[in-house]
Amino acid sequence: MPCLPLLLPLLLLALSALALPSPPRPPLLKERVLPPRTWHPLSRAPPAHTLRLRLALAQPRMQDLHSQLLERSDPAHPHYGRWMSKAEVEALAAPAPESVDAVEEWLAAAGVDLRGAERSPAGDALTLTLPVALAEALLSTEYHLFAHRTTGEHIVRTTEYSLPRSVHAHIRSVQPTTLFSRPRALRSPLHALQPTAFHALDQAAGALSEASSCKSLVTPACLQSLYATAGYAASANATALGITGYLEQYANAEDLQEFYRGYAESAVGSSFQTVLINGGQNTQTASAAGTEANLDTQYAGALTYPVPNTFYSTGGSPPFTPDDAESSNTNEPYADWLAYVLALDELPAVVSTSYGDDEQTVPESYAQTVCDQFAQLGARGVSVIFASGDFGVGPSASECYSNDGANRAMFIPNFPASCPFVTTVGATTSSGPEVAAGFSGGGFSNYFPQPSYQASAVASFLSTLGSEYTGLYNASGRAYPDVSAQGENFLIYVGGYPGSVDGTSCSAPTFASIITLLNDALVRAGKPTLGFLNPFLYGAGLAGLTDITSGSNAGCGTKGFQAGEGWDPVTGLGTPVFTTLRALAGA
């Protein structure tokens, strides 16, 4: 038996080891990306540079919200059209209390003053204004200044970040970190109309009311004839339409009246309401008139008059102090707009957005978070409509590669067009018959699985496509566009002068206007608005769409997908026929 003097030091050593604190466990990697080829790092970000850091918290009941949304959007379901209240949606979108507690304890321990934090209505997002130095410490990362190889723009981003184990499972995403997207307006530059050609059009104003005139120049009257809304008298009180504006795009009131005087005489003197969000402006000088903003508001107003229209001008998130790193706020804008509208008690029944970016420049966690916010709008009865993009299946062949390190050739889907909880609109041209516009964005998401409402329609297309393009697209992904509308040669006024533009930016507000008129008819008949459209369009509403069977959407060095009978990733299910859709919707 060992003697006590020998055992005692060993016992004391063991006890002292037990008393020592355990070393801190290292944080867990949350997200890592490769910067897109179009961005290259310049230097470390200035430590004092201010970031608007948005933390999206885990939402354990989001699948319940998805289920509720699909039930209430399905004309065959007994809950169809019973849209949820703001409080009901927020209850399903809310994080678990333990998630809130864990995140707040972590932030407080790190010295973050939570009194200045902004909280979303459902409590699922926390926004903090922090210097880069503190953000780096929180996220165990390093921020760098990146420059865009083509435009020279600068942004402050990181390629990876980590979170403590105590909060890792409680947070969905943190941005701006790995988000390199640059949302762009989905339309061509303004093409000036020569005075002689424009005078000839004015002399033939009556002919512009015929559907066939869409072959040469699109006006509200030709769209009304083509899509069968001519003669429908809307109400000023039944429903409302929202138009989103980003990237310092300002809708000009004088241009609107000039456009109305020529092409929507009954609307002269009326206008849209402008709502400023997060530093958005309403600059009304002729030089500041935005082609995108004017296009959207002029056609939405002309096609839906006298339905109230709202233009949301979303800027950067204040407070923001320009410095040597960035000259403007580069937070992704959809989140700012969503934070604003989800807090509203009353929402427009339809919202049209003509902006998007390559899906792979948006981290998947962030895309999922934003898409779920669109689902929240849908559950409250809002039809969320997006343009499908203007690069067919992708841009030039040199850019059609994955950004995951594998560098594999692939088509490039667009986001938010690829979100399954929005209705995505492609482009057509000509008339009698309409054909696919060659730039019409379409394809398959690499992030979102194919929703049940479109499975049958997409399967029919894929069986026809066969093995063509195998490996270039995700056949099991959410497929888009859902529908289409005219997208070439739209006459607009910008800065006091007429011009024409092309793009799915033309198509989205056109289709949104048709849905707005359908909602007007439904509400006046004592029925709910259409809300999330896709289950209706792929089902009972299909007979109210004109199938587009010719044309393709070239891109990535290929001829792209081919339009054909049934759904296709060029023109979707087709273009709207208002009178038929109205009957099918029961109005």
Side-chain angles (χ1 to χ4, degrees):
M1 178 176 178
C3 64
L4 186 59
L6 194 59
L7 283 175
L8 190 57
L10 294 173
L11 181 61
L12 291 174
L13 185 62
L15 289 173
S16 63
L18 288 174
L20 290 174
S22 301
R25 301 171 73 188
L28 292 175
L29 179 69
K30 187 67 176 180
E31 196 161 53
R32 175 182 289 147
V33 302
L34 291 174
R37 295 171 182 77
T38 49
W39 293 98
H40 66 97
L42 295 178
S43 62
R44 284 290 299 274
H49 177 73
T50 301
L51 293 172
R52 289 266 299 169
L53 213 59
R54 182 178 279 109
L55 284 68
L57 275 60
Q59 297 164 291
R61 300 191 64 190
M62 188 51 64
Q63 287 303 316
D64 293 340
L65 189 144
H66 292 171
S67 298
Q68 290 275 0
L69 171 59
L70 293 175
E71 286 181 3
R72 294 162 193 258
S73 306
D74 182 358
H77 198 279
H79 291 163
Y80 178 62
R82 298 182 184 177
W83 305 119
M84 302 173 72
S85 69
K86 179 174 181 286
E88 288 172 330
V89 169
E90 288 173 359
L92 293 180
E98 54 266 31
S99 293
V100 177
D101 292 343
V103 171
E104 290 187 351
E105 288 173 9
W106 163 57
L107 293 172
V112 176
D113 185 356
L114 291 172
R115 291 174 298 179
E118 299 172 23
R119 302 172 192 270
S120 64
D124 57 327
L126 195 65
T127 303
L128 310 166
T129 302
L130 302 174
V132 161
L134 181 51
E136 289 182 334
L138 281 172
L139 304 176
S140 300
T141 190
E142 292 182 356
Y143 277 89
H144 285 78
L145 178 64
F146 287 82
H148 194 274
R149 296 182 188 278
T150 303
T151 67
E153 294 170 89
H154 289 171
I155 61 173
V156 171
R157 292 294 186 268
T158 182
T159 57
E160 65 177 58
Y161 67 96
S162 299
L163 294 170
R165 295 165 189 267
S166 61
V167 297
H168 196 277
H170 296 295
I171 294 178
R172 296 186 71 178
S173 72
V174 181
Q175 293 297 343
T177 51
T178 56
L179 179 71
F180 284 85
S181 71
R182 295 172 60 250
R184 54 181 177 261
L186 302 175
R187 46 92 190 141
S188 68
L190 182 71
H191 309 298
L193 289 175
Q194 297 300 318
T196 53
F198 186 65
H199 179 72
L201 290 171
D202 264 353
Q203 295 301 306
L208 296 178
S209 65
E210 301 297 326
S212 60
S213 71
C214 287
K215 291 182 177 180
S216 56
L217 189 69
V218 172
T219 66
C222 92
L223 292 173
Q224 290 166 335
S225 177
L226 183 62
Y227 297 139
T229 67
Y232 178 76
S235 165
N237 304 310
T239 187
L241 169 62
I243 300 289
T244 62
Y246 303 105
L247 310 179
E248 299 181 343
Q249 279 282 323
Y250 307 124
N252 187 273
E254 284 299 318
D255 286 336
L256 181 74
Q257 297 306 314
E258 191 69 30
F259 182 76
Y260 281 172
R261 282 189 285 270
Y263 304 100
E265 190 174 352
S266 62
V268 171
S270 69
S271 190
F272 47 85
Q273 177 190 10
T274 298
V275 173
L276 307 181
I277 300 173
N278 287 337
Q281 302 296 315
N282 186 25
T283 306
Q284 287 296 305
T285 59
S287 60
T291 300
E292 181 64 55
N294 277 11
L295 164 67
D296 292 343
T297 52
Q298 287 172 21
Y299 276 83
L303 293 173
T304 65
Y305 177 81
V307 173
N309 283 199
T310 299
F311 178 73
Y312 299 98
S313 177
T314 302
S317 304
F320 185 85
T321 304
D323 57 25
D324 291 339
E326 299 172 294
S327 59
S328 62
N329 194 319
T330 57
N331 279 0
E332 196 273 340
Y334 307 124
D336 296 330
W337 179 80
L338 283 161
Y340 174 84
V341 295
L342 285 171
L344 299 176
D345 292 322
E346 299 292 330
L347 296 169
V350 181
V351 174
S352 178
T353 300
S354 295
Y355 296 79
D357 200 5
D358 298 346
E359 186 184 69
Q360 68 174 352
T361 67
V362 181
E364 186 171 357
S365 63
Y366 182 78
Q368 296 279 358
T369 301
V370 170
C371 189
D372 282 343
Q373 290 179 297
F374 292 134
Q376 292 182 50
L377 288 176
R380 291 177 61 182
V382 179
S383 300
V384 181
I385 293 174
F386 270 86
S388 71
D390 290 351
F391 295 95
V393 295
S396 65
S398 62
E399 298 177 69
C400 292
Y401 290 91
S402 66
N403 197 47
D404 57 3
N407 207 39
R408 58 185 174 83
M410 58 178 270
F411 291 160
I412 306 296
N414 195 282
F415 180 81
S418 61
C419 170
F421 301 119
V422 307
T423 298
T424 303
V425 188
T428 61
T429 187
S430 192
S431 59
E434 291 181 84
V435 300
F439 56 77
S440 183
F444 298 79
S445 173
N446 290 317
Y447 289 170
F448 301 101
Q450 197 170 107
S452 58
Y453 60 73
Q454 66 172 187
S456 177
V458 175
S460 296
F461 169 79
L462 292 176
S463 66
T464 302
L465 181 66
S467 60
E468 189 174 15
Y469 301 139
T470 296
L472 293 179
Y473 69 96
N474 175 24
S476 62
R478 186 297 205 242
Y480 72 95
D482 301 298
V483 290
S484 51
Q486 287 281 308
E488 286 191 357
N489 298 318
F490 271 53
L491 170 65
I492 65 170
Y493 271 82
V494 179
Y497 295 95
S500 67
V501 292
D502 308 329
T504 51
S505 278
C506 305
S507 313
T510 298
F511 192 85
S513 296
I514 306 300
I515 300 303
T516 298
L517 297 181
L518 288 172
N519 282 334
D520 177 81
L522 284 166
V523 172
R524 291 161 72 182
K527 298 186 176 183
T529 57
L530 288 169
F532 178 46
L533 295 168
N534 294 4
F536 168 71
L537 295 172
Y538 283 87
L542 182 59
L545 300 167
T546 300
D547 193 12
I548 309 301
T549 59
S550 62
S552 61
N553 56 352
C556 297
T558 74
K559 68 177 188 289
F561 294 114
Q562 182 72 37
E565 292 186 8
W567 179 89
D568 55 69
V570 190
T571 59
L573 299 168
T575 57
V577 181
F578 171 75
T579 49
T580 308
L581 285 169
R582 181 181 177 185
L584 293 170

